[in-house]
């Protein structure tokens, strides 16, 4: 907790005139509700390590959760209300967007890919991470490409962008494989370890987090092929421009601050520094005031 306070202090050292003006201005939509109730409801995933999960104390943790804590601290200053009470709302792959649309949560801080289809239900903030659909296999499996899985059973969570990416990749490569739909990453891991599946498709970084939960992490390997491009963002209420502008402004401040390398290093330091594509994403997110 002390390191988190230091991190947030690094983000918010100098108050700006713009924020002071915003705090005295009337707000609409979710920001008005947040200001009046002094409460913000945040959806989070319990199963999306290292982006959003529950730690040993059953508290929300992860890269996106840390990003959202920083966003909330900026919103407090924007609204002139501090501290805001944070109501953490656990969501699943199936309920994350309906929680936003129904008002159960004001933003969703997980590992959600931005798609045009999803924009019919929710809006999205500036991008927070870039990943791609990958395949987890047993280390004993011969080959290191999607083509080596021809005729095999590949698991994927139903209704996800990973399912669409897998289907597109199989068609593009004219491969025949049995796609087995599962309800969660944990179920996919269990079936892979039991040899019920030959591979399991999900976001590559999430698969790396999943390996840490395996009975024998060394028995699993990440396939060389990346099947898709997955841009992550914070899900927000559709049509609420004030809420989106507030969150985007907060992310821009985080991306310009020393907090960014601290957050990235905490969750991805073992993988090395951000690659050129991710660095470009952060740069594009550093919008000027």
């Amino acid at each position: 907790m002390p390191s988190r306070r230091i991190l947030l202090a690094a983000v918010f050292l100098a108050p700006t005139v713009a924020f002071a003006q915003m705090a005295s201005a009337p707000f609409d939509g979710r920001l008005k509700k947040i200001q009046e109730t002094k409460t913000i409801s945040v959806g989070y995933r319990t199963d999306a390590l290292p982006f959003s999960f529950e730690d040993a104390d059953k508290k929300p943790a992860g890269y996106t959760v840390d990003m959202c804590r920083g966003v909330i601290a900026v919103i407090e200053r924007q609204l002139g209300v501090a501290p805001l009470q944070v109501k953490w709302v656990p969501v699943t792959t199936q309920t994350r967007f309906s929680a936003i649309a129904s008002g159960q949560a004001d933003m969703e801080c997980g590992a959600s890919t931005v798609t045009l289809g999803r924009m019919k239900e929710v809006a999205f903030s500036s991008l927070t991470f870039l990943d791609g659909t990958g395949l987890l296999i047993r280390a004993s499996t011969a080959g290191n490409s999607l083509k080596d899985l021809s005729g095999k059973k590949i698991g994927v969570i139903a209704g996800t962008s990973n399912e669409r990416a897998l289907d597109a990749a199989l068609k593009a490569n004219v491969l025949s494989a049995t796609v087995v739909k599962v309800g969660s990453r944990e179920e996919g891991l269990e079936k892979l370890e039991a040899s019920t599946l030959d591979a399991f498709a999900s976001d590559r970084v999430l698969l790396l987090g999943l390996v840490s939960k395996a009975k024998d992490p060394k028995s699993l390997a990440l396939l060389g092929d990346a099947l898709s491009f997955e841009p992550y963002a914070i899900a927000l209420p559709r049509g609420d421009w004030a809420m989106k502008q507030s969150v985007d402004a907060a992310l821009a401040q985080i991306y310009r601050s020393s907090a960014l390398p601290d957050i990235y290093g905490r969750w991805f330091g073992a993988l090395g520094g951000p690659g050129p594509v991710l660095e470009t994403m952060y740069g594009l997110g550093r919008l000027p005031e």
Side-chain angles (χ1 to χ4, degrees):
M1 289 302 292
S3 63
R4 181 168 292 160
R5 287 194 291 269
I6 293 172
L7 182 153
L8 294 179
V11 185
F12 317 118
L13 283 176
T16 64
V17 174
F19 281 170
Q21 292 174 339
M22 288 177 68
S24 62
F27 291 94
D28 296 318
R30 298 291 178 93
L31 287 180
K32 180 179 180 181
K33 178 187 75 91
I34 292 168
Q35 188 179 46
E36 290 176 346
T37 63
K38 298 182 179 180
T39 301
I40 185 166
S41 299
V42 182
Y44 75 99
R45 297 276 294 282
T46 62
D47 61 345
L49 181 76
F51 294 96
S52 178
F53 63 100
E54 288 184 344
D55 63 16
D57 297 322
K58 299 298 182 181
K59 294 181 180 180
Y63 170 86
T64 315
V65 170
D66 277 357
M67 284 287 188
C68 285
R69 291 185 195 277
V71 167
I72 292 167
V74 176
I75 289 177
E76 287 177 342
R77 292 177 58 204
Q78 291 173 343
L79 299 181
V81 177
L84 284 174
Q85 179 182 344
V86 181
K87 179 182 178 183
W88 294 99
V89 181
V91 296
T92 66
T93 303
Q94 291 76 26
T95 65
R96 53 186 166 172
F97 301 129
S98 61
I100 298 294
S102 67
Q104 184 182 3
D106 300 309
M107 57 185 185
E108 188 262 341
C109 302
S112 294
T113 300
V114 180
T115 70
L116 293 173
R118 289 171 177 175
M119 287 181 183
K120 296 177 182 179
E121 185 175 8
V122 296
F124 291 95
S125 69
S126 300
L127 298 184
T128 56
F129 200 79
L130 297 173
D131 200 1
T133 297
L135 288 160
L136 191 65
I137 59 174
R138 289 184 296 278
S140 59
T141 299
N144 192 37
S145 71
L146 177 63
K147 293 181 179 180
D148 295 313
L149 295 176
S150 179
K152 305 290 187 180
K153 293 182 179 179
I154 306 175
V156 67
I157 298 176
T160 61
S161 56
N162 305 124
E163 181 184 14
R164 293 190 292 274
L166 176 61
D167 182 62
L170 291 173
K171 289 179 180 177
N173 288 276
V174 196
L175 295 177
S176 176
T178 301
V179 177
V180 180
K181 297 178 182 180
V182 299
S184 67
R185 267 178 286 278
E186 286 72 20
E187 181 183 350
L189 175 62
E190 181 181 347
K191 289 180 180 296
L192 182 61
E193 290 183 306
S195 298
T196 306
L197 294 174
D198 299 295
F200 175 64
S202 187
D203 293 358
R204 290 170 66 86
V205 174
L206 293 176
L207 289 175
L208 291 174
L210 190 65
V211 168
S212 66
K213 300 180 180 180
K215 298 174 183 177
D216 180 10
K218 293 182 179 179
S219 69
L220 302 175
L222 194 61
L223 205 67
D225 290 352
L227 307 185
S228 71
F229 168 69
E230 305 285 339
Y232 288 177
I234 298 168
L236 299 167
R238 187 171 185 267
D240 194 332
W241 69 267
M243 183 70 177
K244 174 173 168 53
Q245 191 276 336
S246 181
V247 173
D248 285 349
L251 286 172
Q253 189 167 350
I254 293 172
Y255 292 166
R256 292 194 300 265
S257 76
S258 61
L260 178 61
D262 288 341
I263 294 174
Y264 179 90
R266 179 178 298 113
W267 300 107
F268 305 114
L271 303 178
V277 177
L278 188 57
E279 283 283 17
T280 299
M281 186 214 78
Y282 287 139
L284 293 173
R286 297 184 182 109
L287 301 172
E289 294 293 345

